[in-house]
Amino acid sequence: MVLRRIRKRKGTSAVEMACVAPVFVVLLMGIIESSRLGMVSQLLTTAAREGCRAAVLPGSTPDSVQARIDETLAGSGIPVGTVTPTCDSGGPWTSAPKGAGITVSLSVPYSKVSWLSIPYFLKTATVSASATFSSERETP
């Protein structure tokens, strides 16, 4: 009687695995993509903050801001391209008066930073971050 029952259930494990495996793989892919999204978001926030710290200093140049951002993102595989800080007062950020807000904004399409060859869930998402600090330049 016991042998007969075992023989009848011989393919049950394969059928159960065929039903559960796709769900498990989809959950695993979702976890990987959402984790990478969080990681990229944090790295962009840190890079924007560091770039803004460089931008508010007296004598800073676009190259020094870009170098600080590139240094912060080195090894992460996040391409941000050229970054241009903006000034809240509307003028050029390189001559912003003391206390004026200078903002550095970064963004990257998620499809360029996904660990998966083809992102399944976040295909059209754009990850962005910005930081605003007060200018430390003395007004003439």
Side-chain angles (χ1 to χ4, degrees), residues 29-138:
M29 298 286 225
I31 290 169
I32 289 171
E33 285 204 22
S34 62
S35 297
R36 178 64 175 168
L37 177 65
M39 183 177 150
V40 169
S41 176
Q42 288 297 316
L43 285 168
L44 282 180
T45 300
T46 301
R49 223 179 285 128
E50 288 296 319
C52 202
R53 281 190 185 122
V56 299
L57 297 175
S60 63
T61 63
D63 291 337
S64 65
V65 174
Q66 187 72 45
R68 179 77 68 91
I69 290 170
D70 291 341
E71 178 184 315
T72 304
L73 294 176
S76 67
I78 300 174
V80 292
T82 304
V83 177
T84 304
T86 58
C87 181
D88 293 347
S89 64
W93 69 274
T94 52
S95 61
K98 186 171 186 165
I102 295 177
T103 302
V104 172
S105 299
L106 306 174
S107 65
V108 64
Y110 181 74
S111 60
K112 291 190 177 196
V113 295
S114 175
W115 281 335
L116 304 174
S117 59
I118 300 171
Y120 295 101
F121 305 110
L122 303 167
K123 291 178 187 176
T124 60
T126 299
V127 187
S128 58
S130 65
T132 303
F133 289 180
S134 295
S135 175
E136 296 179 14
R137 293 178 181 84
E138 295 295 328

Side-chain angles (χ1 to χ4, degrees), residues 9-22:
R9 295 183 44 94
K10 196 172 187 178
T12 307
S13 297
V15 171
E16 289 174 357
M17 184 63 175
C19 292
V20 172

